[in-house]
């Protein structure tokens, strides 16, 4: 069971389509691990569907149905297929849930670099913000730091503590730029995380604002 | 069949590549999907194009429709939403794969919840229909036109506090409608 979730504004923006790709990748991967958040997102999507039902219909272009019908038998362009990866772990990684697995790709796709104090990280190609996988050796602290913008972290394997808070697989921590913290990997094994940093944090969408104002 | 529910139409498309069912779905949803895309800021031509793209996806993905997960309107909404994200941002929307072996399933006993998904959409639609007109129009402005409450206040000539309290009331009513149905 996950204990720490994306905040409701993030779930709502994901459902409404206004969350940038990198944080959306993190949220969607959390959803794979968290039935409770899947349900929340389904509710926001149902609200979208209900609103759609109530919209005043727009006028269609002449021959709209006919030209759509004419397209039905054309083969689907290859790029339209969703990015999916075989259910095989990439080298040295646990079996990651989709959609993250598709972003990581097959064995050898990740270029791991060494960071400070024994950390290793690998960038993922995800537009909108910087997304990377981070491996922290058992018991190692990430030196006290602040972020330029917002940071979201999700544990994929192992765990860490940030003060009194414990984070395990599927748990999400969101920290604003004002937060200075010093997370420490749990002593019983390496901690693998997905980290998304600032840049593409477009929580300015309608739902983000709405939900924040409403204080959910 | 004139009174066939849209869920059944999608299932007919899935089973038999049924063009009559597809045309019926198109007449039901295409004008509203286009209206949705226009509300999000597309001009008429690109809204038409994205709407047609979305309806083609309905045809191609009909087999993945599962009325225990979402009602027809909700499913179509998510297809158009994804099309717009892909087209306008040149990004691919990261999507959950419900058949992923790494997915953590909902705990046993929540199967009933899943069956209710289709009804949840209907219940929300009904609750939306029962909202006072001024609350419903504010929710639409906020959801579909991606407006801030401040913009909405300026446009509707309402004080910001009124916009906030009406939106709060409207959302609380919608939530209550969902919870009541689940008891």
């Amino acid at each position: 069971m996950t204990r720490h979730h994306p905040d409701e504004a993030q779930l709502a923006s994901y459902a409404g389509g206004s969350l940038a790709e990198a944080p959306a990748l993190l949220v969607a991967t959390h959803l794979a691990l968290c039935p409770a958040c899947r349900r929340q997102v389904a509710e926001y999507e149902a609200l979208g569907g209900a609103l759609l039902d109530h919209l005043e219909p727009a006028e269609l272009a002449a021959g709209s149905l006919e030209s759509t019908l004419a397209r039905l038998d054309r083969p689907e362009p290859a790029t339209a297929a969703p990015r999916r990866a075989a259910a095989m772990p990439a080298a040295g990684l646990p079996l990651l849930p989709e959609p993250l697995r598709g972003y990581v790709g097959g064995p050898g796709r990740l270029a791991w670099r060494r960071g400070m104090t024994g950390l290793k990280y690998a960038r993922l190609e995800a537009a909108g913000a910087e997304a990377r996988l981070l491996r922290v050796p058992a018991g190692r602290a990430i030196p006290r730091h602040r972020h330029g913008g917002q940071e979201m972290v999700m544990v994929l394997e192992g765990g860490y503590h940030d003060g009194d808070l414990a984070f395990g697989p599927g748990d999400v921590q969101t920290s604003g730029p004002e937060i200075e913290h010093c997370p420490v990997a749990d002593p019983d094994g390496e901690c693998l995380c997905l980290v998304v940093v600032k840049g593409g944090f477009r929580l300015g969408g309608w739902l983000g604002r709405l939900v924040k104002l409403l204080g959910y | 069949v004139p009174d066939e529910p849209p869920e059944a139409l999608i299932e007919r498309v899935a089973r038999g590549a049924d063009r009559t069912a597809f045309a019926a779905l198109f007449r039901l949803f295409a004008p509203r999907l286009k209206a949705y895309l226009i509300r999000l800021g597309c001009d008429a031509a690109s809204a038409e194009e994205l709407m047609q793209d979305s309806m083609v996806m309905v045809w191609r993905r009909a087999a993945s429709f599962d009325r225990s997960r979402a009602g027809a309107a909700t499913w179509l909404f998510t297809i158009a939403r994804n099309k717009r994200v892909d087209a306008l941002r040149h990004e691919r929307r990261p999507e959950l794969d419900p058949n992923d072996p790494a997915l953590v399933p909902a705990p046993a006993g929540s199967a009933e919840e899943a069956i209710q998904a289709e009804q949840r959409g209907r219940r929300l639609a009904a609750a939306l229909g029962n909202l006072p007109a001024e609350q419903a129009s504010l929710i639409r402005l906020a959801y579909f036109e991606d407006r801030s409450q401040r913009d909405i206040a300026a446009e509707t000539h309402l004080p910001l506090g009124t916009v906030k309290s009406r939106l709060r009331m409207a959302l609380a009513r919608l939530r209550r409608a969902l919870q009541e149905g689940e008891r």
Side-chain angles (χ1 to χ4, degrees):
Chain A
M1 277 298 273
T2 48
R3 292 157 295 180
H4 302 283
H5 307 272
D7 63 44
E8 184 141 353
Q10 288 164 335
L11 294 177
S13 299
Y14 175 76
S18 59
L19 198 59
E21 186 169 0
L25 169 63
L26 187 145
V27 168
T29 305
H30 174 78
L31 294 181
L33 302 174
C34 182
C37 286
R38 283 207 292 276
R39 191 178 150 77
Q40 289 262 43
V41 166
E43 274 185 15
Y44 278 111
E45 288 176 340
L47 177 58
L51 284 162
L52 187 70
D53 263 343
H54 283 255
L55 272 184
E56 196 63 37
E59 198 180 328
L60 300 183
S64 184
L65 174 59
E66 291 67 27
S67 46
T68 307
L69 284 170
R71 289 175 55 191
L72 295 185
D73 296 325
R74 286 187 209 156
E76 185 167 1
T79 51
R83 188 189 327 223
R84 292 275 183 257
M88 288 273 293
L93 293 176
L95 179 63
L96 300 170
E98 290 286 13
L100 180 60
R101 194 163 72 242
Y103 278 76
V104 169
R109 294 290 307 281
L110 289 177
W112 288 98
R113 291 166 200 278
R114 271 180 195 289
M116 48 188 180
T117 67
L119 313 182
K120 279 190 248 167
Y121 64 91
R123 300 170 72 137
L124 299 177
E125 310 164 26
E130 196 164 357
R132 48 174 70 174
L133 292 181
L134 180 69
R135 313 172 92 143
V136 186
R140 197 69 56 84
I142 299 179
R144 187 166 287 280
H145 65 285
R146 287 172 192 250
H147 318 108
Q150 199 172 28
E151 178 194 73
M152 289 174 82
V153 178
M154 182 167 77
V155 177
L156 299 164
E157 191 177 49
Y160 70 88
H161 276 73
D162 190 355
D164 293 338
L165 296 175
F167 295 84
D171 283 333
V172 173
Q173 187 179 28
T174 305
S175 328
E178 72 283 4
I179 307 255
E180 189 181 82
H181 65 158
C182 179
V184 183
D186 291 344
D188 52 354
E190 185 185 66
C191 178
L192 175 70
C193 300
L194 171 64
V195 182
V196 172
V197 214
K198 66 159 252 172
F201 269 82
R202 280 181 248 157
L203 264 184
W206 71 275
L207 267 169
R209 285 189 297 262
L210 187 62
V211 164
K212 266 188 189 154
L213 275 161
L214 296 184
Y216 284 113
Chain B
V1 190
D3 286 329
E4 205 167 355
E7 286 79 12
L9 293 172
I10 300 172
E11 285 157 3
R12 279 213 279 144
V13 170
R15 273 198 313 272
D18 183 332
R19 283 171 184 260
T20 314
F22 178 81
L25 272 175
F26 188 94
R27 279 187 277 271
L28 267 176
F29 285 104
R32 291 201 184 92
L33 286 179
K34 186 171 176 180
Y36 161 63
L37 292 159
I38 289 172
R39 288 221 168 198
L40 290 175
C42 299
D43 59 43
S46 53
E48 174 76 27
E49 193 184 326
L50 279 174
M51 177 280 290
Q52 291 192 17
D53 288 351
S54 304
M55 290 306 299
V56 172
M57 286 306 277
V58 166
W59 176 262
R60 286 180 181 149
R61 300 275 181 270
S64 74
F65 173 70
D66 175 353
R67 63 162 89 196
S68 73
R69 285 205 185 104
T74 301
W75 188 66
L76 270 106
F77 161 75
T78 60
I79 286 178
R81 172 200 68 192
N82 295 358
K83 274 282 158 208
R84 174 191 169 250
V85 170
D86 291 355
L88 298 190
R89 289 213 202 124
H90 305 288
E91 289 176 3
R92 183 168 302 287
R93 179 185 159 83
E95 282 285 338
L96 176 79
D97 176 0
N99 302 314
D100 184 5
L103 186 100
V104 175
S110 57
E112 275 170 45
E113 278 177 16
I115 293 162
Q116 287 177 358
E118 175 195 347
Q119 290 147 24
R120 178 164 51 201
R122 285 194 214 297
R123 214 153 39 221
L124 261 176
L128 209 59
N130 290 333
L131 281 183
E134 76 275 6
Q135 287 181 17
S137 76
L138 287 182
I139 286 260
R140 264 194 294 276
L141 274 174
Y143 202 133
F144 285 137
E145 298 181 25
D146 203 18
R147 304 286 178 80
S148 72
Q149 304 203 18
R150 199 169 295 281
D151 289 349
I152 293 172
E155 186 171 319
T156 54
H157 306 293
L158 290 170
L160 184 58
T162 307
V163 170
K164 283 187 187 173
S165 62
R166 283 189 188 167
L167 274 171
R168 188 178 296 124
M169 274 190 286
L171 224 65
R173 281 176 96 133
L174 295 179
R175 290 201 159 219
R176 216 175 309 128
L178 276 182
Q179 283 159 5
E180 273 164 14
E182 275 158 22
R183 239 178 264 132

